[in-house]
PDB file of all heavy atoms in Angstrom:
ATOM      1  N   VAL C  64       2.529 -16.699 -20.880  1.00  0.00           N
ATOM      2  CA  VAL C  64       1.792 -17.345 -21.968  1.00  0.00           C
ATOM      3  C   VAL C  64       0.333 -17.501 -21.553  1.00  0.00           C
ATOM      4  O   VAL C  64       0.021 -17.625 -20.362  1.00  0.00           O
ATOM      5  CB  VAL C  64       2.370 -18.732 -22.349  1.00  0.00           C
ATOM      6  CG1 VAL C  64       3.810 -18.623 -22.778  1.00  0.00           C
ATOM      7  CG2 VAL C  64       2.228 -19.726 -21.220  1.00  0.00           C
ATOM      8  N   TRP C  65      -0.532 -17.472 -22.539  1.00  0.00           N
ATOM      9  CA  TRP C  65      -1.967 -17.653 -22.331  1.00  0.00           C
ATOM     10  C   TRP C  65      -2.336 -19.010 -22.929  1.00  0.00           C
ATOM     11  O   TRP C  65      -2.006 -19.282 -24.085  1.00  0.00           O
ATOM     12  CB  TRP C  65      -2.712 -16.514 -23.027  1.00  0.00           C
ATOM     13  CG  TRP C  65      -4.207 -16.666 -23.072  1.00  0.00           C
ATOM     14  CD1 TRP C  65      -4.963 -16.947 -24.159  1.00  0.00           C
ATOM     15  CD2 TRP C  65      -5.123 -16.511 -21.983  1.00  0.00           C
ATOM     16  NE1 TRP C  65      -6.299 -16.983 -23.821  1.00  0.00           N
ATOM     17  CE2 TRP C  65      -6.428 -16.722 -22.484  1.00  0.00           C
ATOM     18  CE3 TRP C  65      -4.964 -16.231 -20.618  1.00  0.00           C
ATOM     19  CZ2 TRP C  65      -7.570 -16.646 -21.686  1.00  0.00           C
ATOM     20  CZ3 TRP C  65      -6.104 -16.156 -19.818  1.00  0.00           C
ATOM     21  CH2 TRP C  65      -7.377 -16.360 -20.346  1.00  0.00           C
ATOM     22  N   ASP C  66      -2.984 -19.851 -22.121  1.00  0.00           N
ATOM     23  CA  ASP C  66      -3.288 -21.205 -22.621  1.00  0.00           C
ATOM     24  C   ASP C  66      -4.749 -21.353 -23.038  1.00  0.00           C
ATOM     25  O   ASP C  66      -5.212 -22.457 -23.266  1.00  0.00           O
ATOM     26  CB  ASP C  66      -2.897 -22.258 -21.569  1.00  0.00           C
ATOM     27  CG  ASP C  66      -3.837 -22.270 -20.368  1.00  0.00           C
ATOM     28  OD1 ASP C  66      -4.801 -21.475 -20.336  1.00  0.00           O
ATOM     29  OD2 ASP C  66      -3.624 -23.090 -19.452  1.00  0.00           O
ATOM     30  N   GLY C  67      -5.470 -20.239 -23.116  1.00  0.00           N
ATOM     31  CA  GLY C  67      -6.890 -20.289 -23.453  1.00  0.00           C
ATOM     32  C   GLY C  67      -7.765 -20.035 -22.253  1.00  0.00           C
ATOM     33  O   GLY C  67      -8.938 -19.674 -22.395  1.00  0.00           O
ATOM     34  N   ALA C  68      -7.215 -20.214 -21.041  1.00  0.00           N
ATOM     35  CA  ALA C  68      -8.012 -20.015 -19.830  1.00  0.00           C
ATOM     36  C   ALA C  68      -7.207 -19.372 -18.694  1.00  0.00           C
ATOM     37  O   ALA C  68      -7.783 -18.774 -17.791  1.00  0.00           O
ATOM     38  CB  ALA C  68      -8.562 -21.353 -19.344  1.00  0.00           C
ATOM     39  N   THR C  69      -5.896 -19.504 -18.741  1.00  0.00           N
ATOM     40  CA  THR C  69      -5.041 -19.085 -17.626  1.00  0.00           C
ATOM     41  C   THR C  69      -3.778 -18.410 -18.165  1.00  0.00           C
ATOM     42  O   THR C  69      -3.231 -18.844 -19.183  1.00  0.00           O
ATOM     43  CB  THR C  69      -4.616 -20.328 -16.792  1.00  0.00           C
ATOM     44  OG1 THR C  69      -5.775 -20.953 -16.255  1.00  0.00           O
ATOM     45  CG2 THR C  69      -3.683 -19.952 -15.652  1.00  0.00           C
ATOM     46  N   TRP C  70      -3.345 -17.368 -17.454  1.00  0.00           N
ATOM     47  CA  TRP C  70      -2.014 -16.821 -17.713  1.00  0.00           C
ATOM     48  C   TRP C  70      -1.002 -17.618 -16.898  1.00  0.00           C
ATOM     49  O   TRP C  70      -1.200 -17.829 -15.702  1.00  0.00           O
ATOM     50  CB  TRP C  70      -1.921 -15.352 -17.279  1.00  0.00           C
ATOM     51  CG  TRP C  70      -2.596 -14.400 -18.203  1.00  0.00           C
ATOM     52  CD1 TRP C  70      -3.774 -13.756 -17.986  1.00  0.00           C
ATOM     53  CD2 TRP C  70      -2.132 -13.966 -19.483  1.00  0.00           C
ATOM     54  NE1 TRP C  70      -4.081 -12.957 -19.064  1.00  0.00           N
ATOM     55  CE2 TRP C  70      -3.093 -13.070 -19.991  1.00  0.00           C
ATOM     56  CE3 TRP C  70      -1.007 -14.269 -20.252  1.00  0.00           C
ATOM     57  CZ2 TRP C  70      -2.956 -12.460 -21.238  1.00  0.00           C
ATOM     58  CZ3 TRP C  70      -0.866 -13.664 -21.491  1.00  0.00           C
ATOM     59  CH2 TRP C  70      -1.832 -12.776 -21.978  1.00  0.00           C
ATOM     60  N   HIS C  71       0.067 -18.026 -17.547  1.00  0.00           N
ATOM     61  CA  HIS C  71       1.178 -18.667 -16.843  1.00  0.00           C
ATOM     62  C   HIS C  71       2.385 -17.751 -17.025  1.00  0.00           C
ATOM     63  O   HIS C  71       2.733 -17.419 -18.170  1.00  0.00           O
ATOM     64  CB  HIS C  71       1.500 -20.037 -17.449  1.00  0.00           C
ATOM     65  CG  HIS C  71       0.345 -21.002 -17.374  1.00  0.00           C
ATOM     66  ND1 HIS C  71       0.219 -21.947 -16.385  1.00  0.00           N
ATOM     67  CD2 HIS C  71      -0.749 -21.141 -18.170  1.00  0.00           C
ATOM     68  CE1 HIS C  71      -0.899 -22.638 -16.583  1.00  0.00           C
ATOM     69  NE2 HIS C  71      -1.504 -22.167 -17.658  1.00  0.00           N
ATOM     70  N   SER C  72       2.990 -17.363 -15.922  1.00  0.00           N
ATOM     71  CA  SER C  72       4.121 -16.439 -16.016  1.00  0.00           C
ATOM     72  C   SER C  72       5.311 -16.978 -15.248  1.00  0.00           C
ATOM     73  O   SER C  72       5.156 -17.593 -14.192  1.00  0.00           O
ATOM     74  CB  SER C  72       3.747 -15.069 -15.436  1.00  0.00           C
ATOM     75  OG  SER C  72       2.641 -14.531 -16.113  1.00  0.00           O
ATOM     76  N   VAL C  73       6.484 -16.713 -15.785  1.00  0.00           N
ATOM     77  CA  VAL C  73       7.709 -16.976 -15.035  1.00  0.00           C
ATOM     78  C   VAL C  73       8.472 -15.656 -14.988  1.00  0.00           C
ATOM     79  O   VAL C  73       8.541 -14.930 -15.982  1.00  0.00           O
ATOM     80  CB  VAL C  73       8.530 -18.129 -15.665  1.00  0.00           C
ATOM     81  CG1 VAL C  73       8.962 -17.811 -17.078  1.00  0.00           C
ATOM     82  CG2 VAL C  73       9.739 -18.457 -14.804  1.00  0.00           C
ATOM     83  N   CYS C  74       8.942 -15.330 -13.793  1.00  0.00           N
ATOM     84  CA  CYS C  74       9.566 -14.017 -13.578  1.00  0.00           C
ATOM     85  C   CYS C  74      10.958 -14.204 -12.979  1.00  0.00           C
ATOM     86  O   CYS C  74      11.161 -15.093 -12.150  1.00  0.00           O
ATOM     87  CB  CYS C  74       8.748 -13.185 -12.595  1.00  0.00           C
ATOM     88  SG  CYS C  74       6.997 -13.107 -12.976  1.00  0.00           S
ATOM     89  N   THR C  75      11.861 -13.357 -13.361  1.00  0.00           N
ATOM     90  CA  THR C  75      13.200 -13.423 -12.761  1.00  0.00           C
ATOM     91  C   THR C  75      13.897 -12.069 -12.906  1.00  0.00           C
ATOM     92  O   THR C  75      13.499 -11.244 -13.742  1.00  0.00           O
ATOM     93  CB  THR C  75      14.063 -14.524 -13.419  1.00  0.00           C
ATOM     94  OG1 THR C  75      15.298 -14.631 -12.715  1.00  0.00           O
ATOM     95  CG2 THR C  75      14.349 -14.201 -14.877  1.00  0.00           C
ATOM     96  N   ASN C  76      14.919 -11.874 -12.076  1.00  0.00           N
ATOM     97  CA  ASN C  76      15.709 -10.645 -12.220  1.00  0.00           C
ATOM     98  C   ASN C  76      17.096 -10.930 -12.822  1.00  0.00           C
ATOM     99  O   ASN C  76      17.954 -10.058 -12.837  1.00  0.00           O
ATOM    100  CB  ASN C  76      15.838  -9.913 -10.881  1.00  0.00           C
ATOM    101  CG  ASN C  76      16.513 -10.742  -9.808  1.00  0.00           C
ATOM    102  OD1 ASN C  76      16.922 -11.878 -10.055  1.00  0.00           O
ATOM    103  ND2 ASN C  76      16.616 -10.190  -8.617  1.00  0.00           N
ATOM    104  N   ARG C  77      17.292 -12.148 -13.325  1.00  0.00           N
ATOM    105  CA  ARG C  77      18.583 -12.480 -13.965  1.00  0.00           C
ATOM    106  C   ARG C  77      18.542 -12.029 -15.421  1.00  0.00           C
ATOM    107  O   ARG C  77      18.526 -12.845 -16.343  1.00  0.00           O
ATOM    108  CB  ARG C  77      18.842 -13.986 -13.861  1.00  0.00           C
ATOM    109  CG  ARG C  77      19.268 -14.393 -12.450  1.00  0.00           C
ATOM    110  CD  ARG C  77      19.373 -15.893 -12.321  1.00  0.00           C
ATOM    111  NE  ARG C  77      20.383 -16.478 -13.191  1.00  0.00           N
ATOM    112  CZ  ARG C  77      20.665 -17.783 -13.209  1.00  0.00           C
ATOM    113  NH1 ARG C  77      20.016 -18.603 -12.409  1.00  0.00           N
ATOM    114  NH2 ARG C  77      21.587 -18.262 -14.017  1.00  0.00           N
ATOM    115  N   LEU C  78      18.548 -10.720 -15.623  1.00  0.00           N
ATOM    116  CA  LEU C  78      18.348 -10.189 -16.971  1.00  0.00           C
ATOM    117  C   LEU C  78      19.584 -10.321 -17.856  1.00  0.00           C
ATOM    118  O   LEU C  78      19.474 -10.297 -19.075  1.00  0.00           O
ATOM    119  CB  LEU C  78      17.953  -8.710 -16.897  1.00  0.00           C
ATOM    120  CG  LEU C  78      16.621  -8.403 -16.209  1.00  0.00           C
ATOM    121  CD1 LEU C  78      16.288  -6.925 -16.327  1.00  0.00           C
ATOM    122  CD2 LEU C  78      15.500  -9.215 -16.814  1.00  0.00           C
ATOM    123  N   THR C  79      20.738 -10.449 -17.240  1.00  0.00           N
ATOM    124  CA  THR C  79      21.948 -10.460 -18.055  1.00  0.00           C
ATOM    125  C   THR C  79      22.268 -11.845 -18.620  1.00  0.00           C
ATOM    126  O   THR C  79      23.102 -11.980 -19.501  1.00  0.00           O
ATOM    127  CB  THR C  79      23.158  -9.972 -17.230  1.00  0.00           C
ATOM    128  OG1 THR C  79      23.191 -10.717 -16.023  1.00  0.00           O
ATOM    129  CG2 THR C  79      23.043  -8.495 -16.923  1.00  0.00           C
ATOM    130  N   ASP C  80      21.615 -12.861 -18.080  1.00  0.00           N
ATOM    131  CA  ASP C  80      21.895 -14.232 -18.528  1.00  0.00           C
ATOM    132  C   ASP C  80      20.871 -14.617 -19.600  1.00  0.00           C
ATOM    133  O   ASP C  80      19.805 -15.175 -19.315  1.00  0.00           O
ATOM    134  CB  ASP C  80      21.819 -15.166 -17.316  1.00  0.00           C
ATOM    135  CG  ASP C  80      22.298 -16.569 -17.636  1.00  0.00           C
ATOM    136  OD1 ASP C  80      22.367 -16.909 -18.831  1.00  0.00           O
ATOM    137  OD2 ASP C  80      22.583 -17.320 -16.687  1.00  0.00           O
ATOM    138  N   ARG C  81      21.214 -14.330 -20.840  1.00  0.00           N
ATOM    139  CA  ARG C  81      20.262 -14.525 -21.942  1.00  0.00           C
ATOM    140  C   ARG C  81      19.926 -16.004 -22.159  1.00  0.00           C
ATOM    141  O   ARG C  81      18.797 -16.347 -22.495  1.00  0.00           O
ATOM    142  CB  ARG C  81      20.810 -13.914 -23.232  1.00  0.00           C
ATOM    143  CG  ARG C  81      21.124 -12.422 -23.119  1.00  0.00           C
ATOM    144  CD  ARG C  81      19.848 -11.621 -22.994  1.00  0.00           C
ATOM    145  NE  ARG C  81      20.057 -10.299 -22.441  1.00  0.00           N
ATOM    146  CZ  ARG C  81      20.396  -9.218 -23.141  1.00  0.00           C
ATOM    147  NH1 ARG C  81      20.566  -9.297 -24.425  1.00  0.00           N
ATOM    148  NH2 ARG C  81      20.539  -8.055 -22.536  1.00  0.00           N
ATOM    149  N   ASP C  82      20.918 -16.877 -21.997  1.00  0.00           N
ATOM    150  CA  ASP C  82      20.648 -18.310 -22.178  1.00  0.00           C
ATOM    151  C   ASP C  82      19.630 -18.796 -21.148  1.00  0.00           C
ATOM    152  O   ASP C  82      18.756 -19.604 -21.455  1.00  0.00           O
ATOM    153  CB  ASP C  82      21.946 -19.121 -22.045  1.00  0.00           C
ATOM    154  CG  ASP C  82      22.877 -18.861 -23.220  1.00  0.00           C
ATOM    155  OD1 ASP C  82      22.372 -18.432 -24.279  1.00  0.00           O
ATOM    156  OD2 ASP C  82      24.087 -19.068 -23.065  1.00  0.00           O
ATOM    157  N   TYR C  83      19.785 -18.285 -19.922  1.00  0.00           N
ATOM    158  CA  TYR C  83      18.849 -18.655 -18.862  1.00  0.00           C
ATOM    159  C   TYR C  83      17.433 -18.180 -19.204  1.00  0.00           C
ATOM    160  O   TYR C  83      16.453 -18.927 -19.029  1.00  0.00           O
ATOM    161  CB  TYR C  83      19.327 -18.032 -17.543  1.00  0.00           C
ATOM    162  CG  TYR C  83      18.412 -18.245 -16.365  1.00  0.00           C
ATOM    163  CD1 TYR C  83      18.236 -19.507 -15.810  1.00  0.00           C
ATOM    164  CD2 TYR C  83      17.718 -17.176 -15.804  1.00  0.00           C
ATOM    165  CE1 TYR C  83      17.400 -19.702 -14.715  1.00  0.00           C
ATOM    166  CE2 TYR C  83      16.882 -17.360 -14.713  1.00  0.00           C
ATOM    167  CZ  TYR C  83      16.728 -18.624 -14.174  1.00  0.00           C
ATOM    168  OH  TYR C  83      15.900 -18.812 -13.099  1.00  0.00           O
TER     169      TYR C  83
END
Side-chain angles (χ1 to χ4, degrees):
Chain C
V64 301
W65 172 252
D66 72 0
T69 299
W70 284 106
H71 299 263
S72 302
V73 61
C74 310
T75 186
N76 60 1
R77 285 174 62 178
L78 296 186
T79 51
D80 189 342
R81 302 291 160 86
D82 291 338
Y83 176 68

